[in-house]
Amino acid sequence: MLSRNERTVLFSKYEDIFQCPICRNAMTLVNQKSFICSNNHCFDLNKKGYVNLLTHSLKTKYDKAMFEARKAISAKGFFEPLLDRICVMMASEQLLTDSQSPIKILDAGCGEGSHLTYTLQKLIEKADREVFGVGIDIAKEGITIASRGVSDTVWCVGDLAKSPFSDKSFHFILNILSPANYSEFHRMLDDEGMVVKVIPERKYLQELRAILYKQSDRSIYSNEHTIEHFKRNFNLVDFQHVQYRVTMEHEDIEKLVHMTPLSWGAPAELVQQALAKNKLEITFDFSIMLGRK
Ligand SMILES: [Zn+2]
């Protein structure tokens, strides 16, 4: 993992992207340890190497075990076909090839950070330039795990509705299987900036849903509405569908069940049935929307 010192150097180098989540004034990193705004609102970098920019403490339904499970599923590469496609879509944009380095990317709703970390590595290989990542999530449990990573990334606990970042700070905002805040996205994006939004499609985890709910076609939510809402806010420049199947062994299935909110509402005996499986074919099914401000 990056040392606390290395992380502090990164925070310091990019301090101008931060703004106070309370009064929206600029913040500076003081004594290498606290972000302070002109109204003296103060947020300390903590020992784990991230900064908590929430204005009130908050408990989410997402606990440490869920994020550990998601990290394990990511480490097995089950999301890589999705993330590889995202990188190809981003790399074909002039924004990435023409911009002055470094490219600044925000992952809004980054969870335990695996998607951002993988995406940054791939983009650095493809774009051959400095790429700087910022991950934000409202769940401290996710950010704590993310901050163990080694990439050139800073991690923050924060609320997207009061995003602690200055206007026009980012070239790209990733929003992967997570709620959005489009007015804040607009504010934080550079004039040429782009949003990459990933939504689950109908067949996502259908085999697991078949066990947990004894049905496979229950739609997660209305995608039509989500897509229309996106198009009202951004100029849709690319839309791609990614669907693939993977074979999961017993321990992967266990992690998958713990990772997904799907298991929260399911009867306990059906969750046990899923956990008892030794092998399952699992469908991953997503749409990726790339939109320009
Ligand atoms: Zn302030």
Side-chain angles (χ1 to χ4, degrees):
M1 78 191 254
L2 281 194
S3 71
R4 194 179 169 197
N5 209 19
E6 289 168 310
R7 206 71 82 180
T8 306
V9 168
L10 272 179
F11 272 113
S12 171
K13 181 174 176 187
Y14 292 101
E15 68 175 359
D16 60 333
I17 68 170
F18 289 92
Q19 74 171 27
C20 178
I22 299 170
C23 68
R24 300 198 164 229
N25 284 341
M27 296 200 289
T28 43
L29 188 63
V30 177
N31 294 332
Q32 304 290 301
K33 75 177 190 46
S34 306
F35 277 108
I36 301 180
C37 78
S38 53
N39 287 323
N40 270 326
H41 298 127
C42 178
F43 302 88
D44 292 341
L45 303 192
N46 72 17
K47 289 195 185 76
K48 297 192 172 101
Y50 66 85
V51 59
N52 187 335
L53 294 158
L54 277 180
T55 52
H56 54 283
S57 68
L58 191 130
K59 187 102 189 84
T60 69
K61 284 181 289 181
Y62 300 94
D63 63 5
K64 182 165 177 279
M66 196 216 88
F67 287 116
E68 293 285 10
R70 197 172 109 183
K71 190 175 172 67
I73 289 289
S74 293
K76 284 285 188 84
F78 293 128
F79 286 106
E80 283 179 16
L82 166 69
L83 299 172
D84 287 341
R85 182 77 71 87
I86 289 174
C87 292
V88 169
M89 289 167 74
M90 288 171 76
S92 70
E93 288 303 316
Q94 276 195 342
L95 180 58
L96 196 73
T97 49
D98 293 359
S99 286
Q100 300 298 312
S101 57
I103 293 287
K104 288 182 273 186
I105 300 178
L106 175 70
D107 186 352
C110 65
E112 34 58 64
S114 299
H115 296 336
L116 178 60
T117 301
Y118 181 88
T119 305
L120 288 180
Q121 276 169 3
K122 287 281 156 180
L123 287 177
I124 289 166
E125 287 165 21
K126 279 183 197 295
D128 189 27
R129 70 179 56 237
E130 193 180 342
V131 182
F132 172 63
V134 179
I136 184 170
D137 202 281
I138 201 159
K140 188 175 70 182
E141 293 77 6
I143 294 298
T144 303
I145 298 171
S147 57
R148 290 187 217 141
V150 294
S151 56
D152 271 3
T153 308
V154 296
W155 305 98
C156 330
V157 181
D159 185 353
L160 277 189
K162 294 178 198 161
S163 295
F165 306 112
S166 318
D167 297 359
K168 303 185 182 184
S169 286
F170 298 103
H171 300 99
F172 287 97
I173 295 178
L174 307 180
N175 184 229
I176 302 175
L177 305 172
S178 185
N181 185 308
Y182 290 148
S183 61
E184 282 290 77
F185 287 6
H186 265 274
R187 183 182 67 74
M188 294 186 287
L189 277 176
D190 179 85
D191 289 335
E192 305 292 312
M194 307 187 91
V195 173
V196 181
K197 182 165 180 67
V198 176
I199 54 177
E201 279 294 342
R202 206 167 55 84
K203 291 186 175 168
Y204 182 47
L205 309 183
Q206 63 177 356
E207 300 81 0
L208 185 61
R209 267 181 284 136
I211 299 170
L212 295 177
Y213 296 96
K214 296 193 180 295
Q215 56 181 325
S216 61
D217 58 351
R218 175 175 172 267
S219 46
I220 297 157
Y221 52 78
S222 163
N223 275 348
E224 214 170 296
H225 173 78
T226 309
I227 294 164
E228 282 309 311
H229 186 50
F230 186 88
K231 282 157 73 174
R232 277 196 300 275
N233 283 277
F234 296 96
N235 177 17
L236 184 67
V237 293
D238 200 356
F239 182 100
Q240 295 201 20
H241 184 207
V242 182
Q243 189 188 102
Y244 53 95
R245 296 184 88 196
V246 301
T247 304
M248 288 197 176
E249 308 289 337
H250 179 73
E251 61 165 358
D252 305 323
I253 298 163
E254 206 176 2
K255 296 280 191 281
L256 184 70
V257 168
H258 289 133
M259 177 192 97
T260 169
L262 278 178
S263 58
W264 296 349
E269 74 267 24
L270 296 182
V271 173
Q272 286 310 316
Q273 265 182 38
L275 290 172
K277 295 280 178 197
N278 280 322
K279 198 172 253 198
L280 264 182
E281 295 285 312
I282 296 283
T283 304
F284 282 64
D285 189 17
F286 309 103
S287 285
I288 310 168
M289 293 182 277
L290 182 66
R292 187 173 282 119
K293 182 170 164 179

